[in-house]
Amino acid sequence: VFHHRAQKQDLPGDPQETQSIGLLTDDYAANNLVVLAREEAGAERIFQNNGVPLLLDLLETGKVEMVLAAIRTFAGMCTGHKARVRGREDREVHYSIMAVDNEDIALATCDLFQCINDSLTGGDRRFYGKEEALVLDASKDLKSILMALLEMVASKKVSGHGRDQALNLLTRNVPRKDKKDPDHSKSLFTIDHGLKKILKVCGQIPDLPDQLPMTENTQLIASVLLDKLWDDLRCDPERDNYREVCKFDPNDMDRNIHAINALSGLLQGPFEVGNQLVGRQGIMEMMVALCGSEREVDQMVAVEALIHSSTKMSRASFIITNGVSLLKDIYKKTKNDKIKIRALVGLCKLGSAGGDDYSMRQFAEGSTEKLAKQCRKWLCNSAMDTRTRKWAIEGLAYLTQDADVKDDFVEDDPAMKAMFDLAKSKDKTILYAVACTLVNCTNSYEKKDIMPELVQLAKFSKQHVPEQHPKDKKDFIQKRVKRMLKGGVISALTVMVKADNVLLTDQTKEMLARVFLALADDPKDRGTICAHGGGKALIPLALEGSAIGKVRAAHALAKIAAVSNPEIAFPGERIYEVVRPLVSLLHPERDGVQNYEALLSLTNLAGLNDKLRVKILKEKALPEIEQYMFEDHDHIRQAATECMCNLVTCKEVQDRYLEDGNDRLKLLVLMCVEDNEKLQRAAAGGLAMLTAAQKKLCTKMTLVTLQWMEILQRLILHDQPQIQHRGLVIVYNMLNSDDNELAKKLMESEILEILTVIGKAMDNPKRQIVIDVARTCLVKAMDLGLIKPFTTP
């Protein structure tokens, strides 16, 4: 592959044409290297044949495509191979490459370092065969990488994209993924050697000169890292040390404008730390005082800090008392749009301090609607930059707790479309605010049911009782959902879910899952969700994130898979990824609706092919499905039995019915005479397939219950053709079971008379399948010599 360069000079034709062909050949060769490096044999071949120096030459070309190809080739070589990773002298080159101002190159280099980290730590669990190298101690390499990333965080030589990826790598790899792991030394090391550098990033003010290069996402990514480091601490002394590093002197006003901005970062990350700092004497007063500063940058930073610090009701009350008039004054007088919109968001947040409690409105009637109208106006102003317009969504995220604002917003098509367009932009700091707004508009937040008796008791004791807004009732919610679906909410959600960024936090994922579940409530809307890629987007939400978020996403998947064609809703191999989330809903701790819809969707999947049935069994769903066949609730019993009916074609399931010492077969036989016709049909269908697949079960069926003959007669006399057909198939299977005594017993009973009556009936398209099976049974009995054909004298 490397010889393509040398061949350029031998190419015929015009010199300019030759040059362009040569460049194409270079690109082709470089891309071939990427493909080769993904296979162990190719990676080793490149490594052994002086590949590293040649790849470093490609990095020096400065051509984006060549640099990307070289980085991706390095990533392939480093994947799962510690020996090729350790002690690499070219790692410094990779740091400098990640620092360049190119998003694609920074992201590719980030992936390279993730491959290196996974190889050194054993985080990559895939098997790479006998060529995989084992190296015992990788701590020195890991420490050097960690130190280099911390240096990049606060370096002015690093671009905004490079800084983002350095912070991303720290967020993914420093805090423990499993809190049961006792080793959190990387977090302690990062706090000791890098916490001030991360705080420095949070404290940067882009409007001031001589600041670090940053993207719109940088400061919020730093806040997420601060939060994860705080959560990774295990004891009070470690937390005290963290707080000590974060402290600053409120008396030094000039220096502390950066500290106030860093405080905003803490309030968006480890809120407990930021809230404690806000509570220190003079901090809140200083923020209110800065709002009145003549410098616009002071006002902007102070208003942001006020917005983030008023999350708790006590803080909001303080600011309502001391700062609302000041915020109104700033909003009316300032000519700077950036400050104006932040002041508006501050007023929005304070106006929503009562949440969705209709009786706890902070402002006069109609004030929140006026604020929301102004937010929608800013949001629709495409002439403004994204960083400013996103604050309008922040305002709506607070105000849409009011049902009047929700209704007005979903009726405003341009505003809704503008929010969806912003949700698809590169600015990922907007994800949380959009998710909050959507949760509010769909009323999909967690809300406990309150017993009427407790409400009466609270009123009697003169305690405050939250009131529901009239527009938060079910019919209003459904209208809003329909409007949002029509406005393109699904396409926006799918783009948000795809965001490969630490800003897509577990909390944001959970809110997106709640929105999907609310949108999928009406079966008529589920086709629309599938058509716009909603089924595909739900799978990662159901596999990763918070426990509640995964359950909500799995439930939304169950709703879709229960009524849609799974092959269309989840095309290709993706359909197999749906099984695990659905099986998780069978857990006894899940509620009845989740159990029921999971069983319906698994029934739908099990009816498609053997590979899916095997996948369901591998996920250990069979014991849970059998358990729900004993459930008291008729609908759950029916769904479980239908699912089992589709699974009995698997040999593993048949073997369970053949085992001695259990009542599985007896239960199925007795279900054939249940009053619920759908349950009857499912049980009879399962029994028909089992007796066809395993002849021994025909004999066993007569032993599990004395009423088997009566049950069989009731099935073949049933007025529903589908149930009657299943009963006749069971009779045929018993005749065909090689058990002559059983076949003789059947033909000596009233079953022969019933078969004769059905078989002699006139052809009828509505019942033809029943008539044909009865005739087949009679033919089989004649073949066995148990009956003779009727002959006229």
Side-chain angles (χ1 to χ4, degrees):
V1 175
F2 284 117
H3 290 158
H4 278 295
R5 283 188 177 182
Q7 291 169 1
K8 285 193 297 181
Q9 59 189 3
D10 299 326
L11 292 169
D14 180 73
Q16 187 173 356
E17 181 185 354
T18 304
Q19 186 178 4
S20 63
I21 294 173
L23 291 173
L24 286 171
T25 313
D26 265 353
D27 291 341
Y28 180 76
N31 289 325
N32 272 350
L33 283 175
V34 179
V35 176
L36 286 170
R38 288 174 182 160
E39 299 293 332
E40 172 56 31
E44 185 63 23
R45 186 78 176 270
I46 295 169
F47 186 75
Q48 294 295 341
N49 286 275
N50 204 32
V52 172
L54 290 167
L55 288 171
L56 291 174
D57 288 344
L58 282 183
L59 292 177
E60 291 176 5
T61 62
K63 286 179 57 183
V64 173
E65 291 301 321
M66 289 295 187
V67 172
L68 285 172
I71 294 168
R72 289 165 182 162
T73 305
F74 273 123
M77 292 167 61
C78 293
T79 299
H81 203 293
K82 293 183 182 179
R84 287 200 291 261
V85 170
R86 287 195 72 235
R88 291 277 298 279
E89 296 177 359
D90 54 278
R91 203 172 288 147
E92 291 296 329
V93 177
H94 296 148
Y95 297 133
S96 62
I97 290 294
M98 192 163 80
V100 302
D101 192 14
N102 183 292
E103 186 176 5
D104 291 336
I105 290 176
L107 185 59
T109 316
C110 175
D111 291 338
L112 167 59
F113 277 112
Q114 189 62 56
C115 290
I116 291 171
N117 181 81
D118 290 345
S119 297
L120 292 173
T121 60
D124 188 344
R125 304 272 181 199
R126 291 171 294 177
F127 178 68
Y128 292 95
K130 64 181 182 179
E131 297 297 328
E132 181 177 9
L134 297 176
V135 181
L136 296 177
D137 187 13
S139 57
K140 185 177 178 181
D141 293 271
L142 289 168
K143 186 176 179 180
S144 68
I145 292 173
L146 180 55
M147 285 297 296
L149 292 175
L150 291 174
E151 287 298 320
M152 291 182 72
V153 165
S155 172
K156 288 187 177 181
K157 297 179 181 179
V158 177
S159 70
H161 295 302
R163 199 177 320 281
D164 284 359
Q165 297 310 326
L167 289 165
N168 277 332
L169 284 166
L170 291 168
T171 305
R172 289 171 183 164
N173 299 299
V174 171
R176 292 168 296 170
K177 290 181 176 64
D178 183 2
K179 298 302 180 187
K180 294 179 182 179
D181 183 358
D183 182 17
H184 67 316
S185 56
K186 285 191 288 186
S187 290
L188 296 178
F189 182 87
T190 302
I191 290 168
D192 289 340
H193 295 84
L195 186 56
K196 287 185 177 180
K197 294 173 181 176
I198 302 166
L199 287 168
K200 181 180 178 181
V201 173
C202 289
Q204 297 297 292
I205 302 167
D207 292 338
L208 292 179
D210 199 30
Q211 301 296 292
L212 296 175
M214 293 190 299
T215 69
E216 59 271 13
N217 300 319
T218 307
Q219 288 175 301
L220 195 53
I221 295 173
S223 293
V224 172
L225 176 54
L226 290 172
D227 188 42
K228 288 186 175 292
L229 290 172
W230 172 258
D231 286 342
D232 205 35
L233 300 179
R234 298 169 58 188
C235 60
D236 287 342
E238 292 174 356
R239 296 186 184 95
D240 290 340
N241 177 55
Y242 188 107
R243 293 190 192 98
E244 193 64 35
V245 176
C246 295
K247 281 184 181 179
F248 64 95
D249 181 7
N251 297 316
D252 191 344
M253 296 284 283
D254 290 331
R255 287 181 57 191
N256 281 318
I257 187 173
H258 292 285
I260 292 292
N261 211 38
L263 179 57
S264 291
L266 286 167
L267 289 164
Q268 293 175 83
F271 181 80
E272 183 181 336
V273 179
N275 192 49
Q276 189 176 37
L277 288 173
V278 171
R280 292 180 66 199
Q281 186 176 3
I283 299 294
M284 187 66 78
E285 290 79 3
M286 182 177 71
M287 286 194 285
V288 173
L290 277 173
C291 288
S293 170
E294 293 182 1
R295 280 205 318 173
E296 290 183 337
V297 69
D298 292 346
Q299 293 179 24
M300 185 171 66
V301 171
V303 170
E304 279 194 34
L306 282 174
I307 292 168
H308 297 308
S309 63
S310 58
T311 298
K312 283 202 172 181
M313 189 67 183
S314 58
R315 305 283 180 225
S317 301
F318 174 89
I319 300 169
I320 288 170
T321 306
N322 298 278
V324 169
S325 59
L326 187 58
L327 287 173
K328 286 181 179 178
D329 194 49
I330 291 173
Y331 176 70
K332 290 176 182 177
K333 291 181 179 179
T334 186
K335 294 180 180 179
N336 186 320
D337 288 344
K338 294 181 179 179
I339 298 173
K340 196 177 187 74
I341 197 166
R342 284 165 173 79
L344 177 64
V345 172
L347 291 169
C348 292
K349 187 169 186 179
L350 297 174
S352 64
D356 65 343
D357 185 352
Y358 186 54
S359 63
M360 289 282 286
R361 291 187 169 194
Q362 300 295 322
F363 295 156
E365 187 76 29
S367 295
T368 51
E369 287 90 329
K370 288 179 182 177
L371 290 171
K373 186 177 180 180
Q374 186 60 44
C375 282
R376 299 202 308 271
K377 182 180 176 183
W378 285 85
L379 181 58
C380 295
N381 187 353
S382 57
M384 296 174 62
D385 63 281
T386 302
R387 291 189 68 179
T388 306
R389 289 172 68 203
K390 74 177 181 184
W391 281 97
I393 301 177
E394 293 276 356
L396 288 169
Y398 300 123
L399 293 177
T400 47
Q401 294 179 68
D402 184 294
D404 288 318
V405 175
K406 299 176 196 179
D407 259 27
D408 291 344
F409 177 65
V410 297
E411 292 292 331
D412 189 343
D413 287 333
M416 200 159 52
K417 185 179 183 302
M419 186 179 79
F420 295 156
D421 289 342
L422 282 175
K424 299 173 187 177
S425 69
K426 290 184 178 181
D427 186 351
K428 300 307 175 188
T429 59
I430 206 168
L431 293 176
Y432 184 78
V434 173
C436 284
T437 305
L438 294 176
V439 166
N440 290 337
C441 290
T442 56
N443 280 55
S444 50
Y445 38 74
E446 200 74 45
K447 205 162 189 179
K448 294 181 180 179
D449 293 329
I450 303 174
M451 295 174 62
E453 294 85 355
L454 292 177
V455 173
Q456 293 300 322
L457 183 62
K459 287 180 178 178
F460 180 75
S461 59
K462 296 183 179 179
Q463 298 294 316
H464 173 70
V465 178
E467 294 179 23
Q468 185 185 42
H469 195 289
K471 290 185 178 179
D472 270 336
K473 293 181 179 176
K474 190 170 182 179
D475 54 341
F476 282 95
I477 297 170
Q478 288 175 340
K479 286 179 184 176
R480 289 199 293 268
V481 165
K482 303 288 184 188
R483 292 283 302 181
M484 291 168 70
L485 285 167
K486 189 177 178 182
V489 65
I490 299 298
S491 60
L493 286 170
T494 54
V495 173
M496 291 168 72
V497 170
K498 288 178 185 175
D500 184 19
N501 196 298
V502 294
L503 296 183
L504 186 64
T505 60
D506 288 349
Q507 188 178 4
T508 306
K509 288 178 184 177
E510 181 182 323
M511 288 194 289
L512 296 179
R514 289 179 184 278
V515 173
F516 267 118
L517 183 57
L519 296 172
D521 187 59
D522 187 345
K524 295 177 183 176
D525 295 328
R526 294 172 195 172
T528 304
I529 294 172
C530 292
H532 291 88
K536 175 184 174 182
L538 273 166
I539 294 173
L541 292 178
L543 295 174
E544 300 174 0
S546 68
I548 295 173
K550 288 192 286 188
V551 171
R552 296 292 179 271
H555 193 187
L557 279 174
K559 285 180 178 292
I560 291 170
V563 299
S564 308
N565 181 346
E567 291 176 306
I568 296 174
F570 315 104
E573 294 297 309
R574 200 167 285 113
I575 193 170
Y576 300 100
E577 297 178 43
V578 179
V579 174
R580 182 174 296 173
L582 296 179
V583 172
S584 72
L585 293 179
L586 299 181
H587 196 280
E589 290 183 3
R590 307 280 85 84
D591 65 44
V593 175
Q594 292 169 344
N595 299 153
Y596 175 66
E597 292 185 326
L599 288 166
L600 288 181
S601 53
L602 287 171
T603 302
N604 212 358
L605 291 172
L608 291 176
N609 58 56
D610 282 332
K611 193 175 177 182
L612 271 169
R613 289 189 279 271
V614 170
K615 175 67 175 174
I616 292 170
L617 296 181
K618 281 185 177 179
E619 294 296 338
K620 301 179 181 177
L622 197 57
E624 304 290 350
I625 295 169
E626 287 181 335
Q627 176 187 332
Y628 287 116
M629 290 174 71
F630 292 93
E631 186 70 36
D632 290 336
H633 198 287
D634 284 347
H635 287 88
I636 293 179
R637 285 183 71 200
Q638 173 197 322
T641 308
E642 288 173 348
C643 190
M644 184 61 71
C645 179
N646 281 353
L647 289 172
V648 293
T649 55
C650 289
K651 183 69 167 58
E652 183 181 333
V653 179
Q654 295 166 14
D655 290 342
R656 290 171 76 91
Y657 279 89
L658 284 167
E659 290 173 1
D660 294 327
N662 65 74
D663 293 330
R664 291 189 183 94
L665 188 61
K666 181 179 179 179
L667 173 67
L668 209 56
V669 174
L670 294 176
M671 280 182 174
C672 291
V673 287
E674 288 279 349
D675 292 335
N676 183 339
E677 288 187 351
K678 290 182 178 179
L679 178 58
Q680 248 187 309
R681 186 175 64 196
L687 199 57
M689 287 191 283
L690 280 169
T691 51
Q694 298 290 340
K695 293 182 178 181
K696 291 180 181 179
L697 287 175
C698 296
T699 305
K700 186 177 180 181
M701 178 181 157
T702 65
L703 303 175
V704 293
T705 175
L706 296 174
Q707 293 93 9
W708 68 271
M709 184 74 77
E710 180 187 343
I711 292 169
L712 207 53
Q713 289 175 9
R714 288 179 65 177
L715 284 177
I716 61 177
L717 285 169
H718 205 284
D719 57 356
Q720 288 289 331
Q722 291 180 326
I723 296 175
Q724 191 178 20
H725 171 242
R726 286 159 172 76
L728 289 166
V729 170
I730 296 169
V731 171
Y732 175 79
N733 293 338
M734 296 177 88
L735 290 170
N736 194 42
S737 66
D738 301 334
D739 187 338
N740 293 331
E741 287 299 318
L742 175 57
K744 186 177 179 183
K745 192 178 291 186
L746 284 173
M747 291 301 100
E748 289 175 351
S749 70
E750 295 177 0
I751 287 178
L752 174 59
E753 186 179 345
I754 298 168
L755 290 174
T756 305
V757 172
I758 298 171
K760 283 184 176 181
M762 297 288 291
D763 287 353
N764 181 347
K766 293 182 178 179
R767 300 182 61 84
Q768 193 61 44
I769 190 170
V770 172
I771 296 168
D772 289 344
V773 177
R775 291 171 181 173
T776 306
C777 289
L778 291 169
V779 170
K780 183 64 182 177
M782 283 191 289
D783 292 343
L784 293 171
L786 298 173
I787 59 173
K788 293 181 180 179
F790 179 78
T791 56
T792 54

